[in-house]
């Protein structure tokens, strides 16, 4: 970047008016001591460096505009640490004083981290040329701090890839996982197989979901309706060099054996069917498959010097292998018990090839199926189970569970957000992630190399949208991976993050803006029979006002200063105000200390083992679910759906019953076709009592997240037992609470 208008600032006298802010470094350093005074960058400020750090000094010069002098004394100095104060090659010390700035490091990685901390301090100050005095020492917690980018679903230009890498470096992320092949398009020039970029890189539809719902065909480069693109080998090498200069390793991913529709469309002899557009998986009984993959990897390894080569390995449909004579013959020859073992054979064969070329194999956790390759590193995405299994067996792992690290999930209320694949991952949840699972034995923890965020681009057609989905969530993950666990604190992070919105604005990043929505949290006090309601928000130090009668809050409504204690029933409505203006939408919390809370629930059909929530207490614990079915309050059902009986303990008159459901069709969550309620004094009398039925009016074609409460009028009815039945329409059924009055 330029000197940020330094000369102009001096010329107009603005320097004297500028104020320095506090030091707001992210990720949080090991030690920060703010001191009195400030350092002012002037046109005479220059950088000097000890011999090992000349290249690092040049990089600092390019980003800051300060000149690098190879000889003489400068007042920004990058020094080689010769004491034990910076023993780790990735560690550094940064000292900003009134007269000079010094960065100490024992290795290149530490020097790079030091200059990026300095650049970050500059970019977060009101005037980037006036820096607060500080003494700072730092080192990373994890050695693998990754960020992924899917360029198959949508091809992104090199200019954006460079920007992406620059932002990674600013926050000390050090692995760029480049997902360059998948069914939606092959994105890397392979000289031996030109059809991969002549046709497999170009599809018929620009909109990925439209293409997915179509026959999923590819077209020749040059076709006026072709959508796609690819990187030449020289362009890919340039990305590798650009990243390496900034301390970032680029790991390429070449998908196999699944997610390979684009390859098999142009080289159909590599599929079991031998015809294009029939399968997504390579034929593992065909030696030509391995010849092709090894040829491709030779060219890939010539471009990418990374220790790891990622081979995918996820979501392979094994049905074609079951019917393929070649695959079955391969299984018989090698004594492979099933198709999982056949995939394991292929992974192990590719690992042997990579090891022969002094590389290591990395893959998604499906490579565990059938037996893990001896030296493979597992990327655990389907939760943490795969990572725990692999680490327990002595394999290195990178944690990337979807619930914390998939940045294609919604960040806020889906009704206010651009369409995504589903899920809900707010900034606070990213920050709460702990990469070392509690279930992992302590002596195996060293196998957790770190973690990675994944950015799948099905719903991200533009670089603008990628930035929106990645930032500031990547900033939160950077602190999870870099900072010592005891140095992390959500409130302190939120405070420091406020200064980084200035940095993102100066870097012209289209980041996600903090939501004005309030997120209510309720606690049920069964002793005093009351509900305690508190609020969280992404806004920093907001002014919140509320009412208890359901009316819309105004600037004169009660000020929220602590959790609100509500006995019995009320409708609490709250909103954020800036000055006297209401911001965002008010949130309404029906406070329901109802008759069913704490009562016994008999499950006539079981809940899903994958989504037990709070098990038998879920539906009568007084807690409503949030925006995600993975929050521990939404209970999932398959098969027969929901069929429960609530025992109120004694017969009593009833007024109403309400039960809520959600629908999110992307991951297969649907409303029930209807809900039925029966009331009786004895469970044997249900067949004799009248059933109240409410039909569903939310169509299964409604794609965005939607919630619906089915409300039953039970006035005039009396009984001890209430039976609620909600069949599955298709996919999963999720409900959170049955409210009875």
């Amino acid at each position: 970047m330029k000197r940020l208008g330094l000369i102009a600032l001096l010329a107009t006298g603005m320097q004297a008016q500028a104020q320095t802010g506090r030091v707001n470094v992210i990720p949080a350093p090991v030690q920060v001591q703010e001191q009195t005074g400030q350092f002012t960058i002037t046109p005479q400020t220059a950088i000097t460096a000890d011999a090992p750090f000349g290249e690092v000094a040049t990089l600092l010069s390019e980003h800051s505009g300060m000149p690098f002098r190879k000889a003489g004394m400068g007042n920004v100095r990058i020094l080689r640490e010769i004491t034990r104060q910076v023993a780790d090659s990735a560690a550094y010390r940064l000292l900003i004083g009134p007269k000079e700035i010094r960065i100490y490091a024992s290795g290149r990685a530490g020097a790079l981290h030091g200059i990026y901390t300095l650049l970050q301090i500059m970019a977060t100050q009101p005037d980037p040329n006036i820096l607060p005095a500080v003494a700072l020492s730092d080192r990373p917690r994890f050695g693998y701090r990754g960020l992924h980018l899917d360029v198959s679903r949508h091809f992104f230009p090199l200019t954006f890839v460079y920007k992406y890498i620059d932002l990674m470096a600013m926050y000390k992320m050090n692995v760029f996982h480049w997902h360059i092949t998948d069914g939606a398009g092959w994105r890397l020039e392979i000289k031996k197989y030109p059809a991969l970029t002549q046709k497999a890189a170009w599809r018929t539809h620009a909109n990925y979901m439209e293409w997915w719902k179509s026959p999923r065909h590819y077209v020749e480069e040059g076709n006026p309706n072709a959508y796609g693109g690819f990187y030449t080998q020289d362009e890919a090498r340039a990305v590798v060099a650009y990243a390496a200069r900034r301390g970032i390793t680029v790991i390429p991913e070449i998908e196999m054996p699944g997610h390979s529709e684009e390859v098999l469309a142009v080289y159909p002899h590599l599929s079991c069917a031998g015809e294009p557009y029939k399968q997504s998986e390579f034929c593992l009984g065909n030696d030509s498959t391995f010849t092709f993959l090894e040829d491709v990897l030779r060219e890939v390894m010539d471009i990418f010097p990374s220790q790891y080569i990622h081979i995918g390995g996820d979501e392979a449909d094994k049905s074609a292998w079951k019917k393929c004579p070649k695959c079955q013959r391969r299984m018989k020859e090698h004594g492979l018990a099933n198709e999982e073992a056949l995939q394991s054979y292929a992974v192990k064969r590719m690992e042997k090839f990579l090891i022969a070329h002094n590389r290591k194999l990395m893959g998604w956790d499906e490579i565990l199926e059938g037996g893990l390759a001896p030296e493979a590193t597992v990327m655990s995405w389907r939760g943490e189970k795969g990572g725990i299994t692999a680490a327990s067996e002595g394999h290195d792992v990178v944690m990337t569970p979807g619930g914390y690290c998939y940045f294609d999930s919604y960040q806020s209320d889906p009704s206010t957000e651009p369409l995504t694949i589903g899920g809900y991952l707010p900034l606070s949840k990213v920050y709460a992630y702990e990469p070392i699972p509690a279930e992992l034995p302590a002596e195996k923890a060293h196998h957790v190399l770190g973690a990675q965020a994944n950015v799948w681009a099905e719903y991200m057609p533009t670089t603008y949208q990628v930035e929106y989905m990645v930032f500031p969530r990547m900033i939160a993950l950077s602190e999870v991976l870099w900072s010592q666990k005891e140095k992390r604190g959500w409130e302190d992070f939120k405070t420091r993050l406020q200064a980084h919105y200035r940095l993102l604005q100066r870097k012209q990043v289209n980041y996600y803006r903090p939501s004005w929505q309030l997120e209510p949290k309720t606690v049920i006090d069964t002793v005093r029979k009351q509900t305690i309601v508190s609020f969280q928000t992404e806004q920093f130090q907001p002014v919140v006002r509320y009412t208890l009668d359901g009316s819309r809050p105004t600037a004169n409504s009660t000020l929220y200063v602590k959790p609100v204690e509500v006995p019995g029933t009320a409708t609490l409505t709250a909103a954020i105000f800036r000055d006297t203006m209401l911001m965002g939408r008010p949130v309404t919390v029906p406070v329901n200390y109802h008759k069913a809370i704490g009562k016994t629930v008999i499950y006539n059909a079981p809940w899903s083992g994958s989504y037990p929530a709070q098990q038998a207490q879920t539906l009568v614990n007084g807690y409503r679910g949030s925006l995600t079915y993975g929050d521990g309050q939404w209970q999932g059902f398959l098969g027969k759906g929901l069929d429960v009986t609530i025992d109120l303990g004694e017969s009593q008159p009833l007024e109403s019953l309400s039960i809520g459901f959600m629908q999110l069709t992307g991951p297969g969550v649907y409303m029930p076709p209807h809900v039925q309620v029966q009331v009786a004094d004895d469970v044997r009398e249900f067949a004799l009592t009248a059933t109240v039925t409410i039909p569903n009016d939310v169509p299964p074609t409604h794609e965005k997240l939607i919630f619906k409460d089915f409300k039953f009028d039970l006035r005039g009815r009396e009984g001890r037992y209430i039976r609620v039945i909600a069949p599955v329409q298709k996919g999963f059924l999720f409900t959170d609470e049955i409210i009875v009055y």
Side-chain angles (χ1 to χ4, degrees), residues 318 331 335-346 369-371:
K318 302 171 178 64
M331 290 171 60
L336 305 175
N338 50 40
E339 285 68 29
E340 285 75 19
L342 178 62
Q343 175 166 311
S344 177
Y345 159 84
E369 297 171 4

Side-chain angles (χ1 to χ4, degrees), residues 202-206 219-220 222-228:
W202 307 91
R203 65 178 186 249
T204 54
H205 296 68
V219 294
E220 298 285 345
N223 183 302
N225 294 111
Y227 175 84

Side-chain angles (χ1 to χ4, degrees), residues 17 44 75 120 172 194 268 310 325 347 426 501 563 579:
Q17 302 173 20
Q44 288 72 44
N75 38 9
Q120 194 183 104
K172 302 181 179 67
H310 202 298
V347 172
Y501 292 121
D579 298 326

